[in-house]
Amino acid sequence: MIDTPLFATPAILLQGALAGLLFGFLLHKGGLTRFDVIVKQFLLRDFTVLKVMLTAIAVGGVGLYVSSDAGWLAGWHIKSTHLLANALGGAIFGVGMAVLGYCPGTGIAAMGSGSRHAVFGVLGMLLGAAIYAEAYPWVKEHILGVGAWGKETLPSLTGWSPWVFLAALSVAAVTFSLRRSHATRKGLHRHELLRT
Amino acid sequence: MVKNPLKTERWSPWTVGIGIGVLSWVTFLWMDKALGTSTTLVRAIGLLEGIFSESHVRANPYFAKYLVGKPGIEWQFVLVAMMPVGAYLAARLGGSTRVERVPALWADRFGPSFRRRAVGAFVGGVLLLFGARLAGGCTSGHAISGGMQLAVSSWVFLGAMFVSGVATAKFIYEKGGR
């Protein structure tokens, strides 16, 4: 924006548009644009959110590490470790997600499928981003330095092969997805009844 | 006859999980990007503040990181803008568009007032994005994209977010009720 054009190149914008369209589509088909599904995950009554996340992580991770071994991967996009900030931010995020009933991506997507209250959530998100920008100098000085290990991964930290972790994640994703708890079945049934 | 999957209301969690996993291959290998959402809200509010005071945005090191010398409307910005469109299409095709003003679980605990729900959602949104920016990402950028790269930062975030979410939800939604 400042000192450059406002827009990236059309090719980049088109790629983003395609990815966003598919991402929003998938989130809705997974039921993740629904407040109830997300809050019930935190109440441990419906495990849809964890099942989707674990499967996505396992499938994505296997593909990325295979691609990396084959030399197809242009580069990783690993976020630097800031232990205190990662943990504290995650904890604050969890409170926000339980209250709003959405994370940023699902809340934004949910505006498209009829959630009126999500609109207020997204407005709140903008304010949250603005507040963080103002707090950043302080946060950088006092919090970001604690446990700043750089772009560490589980394999680089432990010295184990990535395939140890990917195998464990794949097994977890499969067993977890196959298990349909009694509560989930009841939950789905109730939501189907409500709809008719 | 098999029903057109685009017209079914919901897909199984692992169909969707595989879909998001494969979409990540595409974004990494073709676009050299990782799926993410929350940085866009920083760019959006920075652009908005910039309309009123460019010097303020330029002087703030956090906004400067994302907006000075870089296009504000980039890959992830368009991605985020298109997410509601994707959800809209999925809902229309599957016949699952539902105007929801106050979710049932919320109403059980806080009553049917839309104003109260709007305030709750707003406050939740503020915490959500402050937490995401402090942690360096959200459920998409950290948990999913970072999780699959086996990043330490992302797994710390994922653990903290889940424990805190469970504690908060149990406290808020189960206190007076069941």
Side-chain angles (χ1 to χ4, degrees), chain A residues 73 81 119 187:
Chain A
L73 196 64
T81 312
V119 177

Side-chain angles (χ1 to χ4, degrees), chain A residues 1-2 4 6 8 28-29 56 59 65 77 79 86 90-91 98-100 103 114 116-117 133-134 152-154 195, chain B residues 6 8-9 11 17 25 32 56 58 60 69-70 72-73 96 100 117 135-136 139 149-150 152-153 161 164 173:
Chain A
M1 163 197 139
I2 297 171
T4 47
L6 177 59
H28 182 80
K29 285 295 187 200
V59 170
Y65 276 89
H77 296 277
K79 294 174 190 287
N86 297 143
V99 173
L100 173 56
C103 60
R116 296 289 182 259
H117 56 105
E134 298 308 317
E152 199 79 58
T153 62
L154 298 174
R195 201 161 30 82
Chain B
L6 295 178
T8 47
E9 185 187 326
W11 294 350
W25 302 350
D32 193 16
H56 177 76
R58 195 188 276 276
N60 180 295
K70 290 171 187 161
I73 314 248
S96 58
E100 182 182 76
R117 172 57 196 153
T139 340
Q149 299 180 85
L150 306 176
V152 171
S153 53
M161 160 222 155
S164 148
Y173 301 104

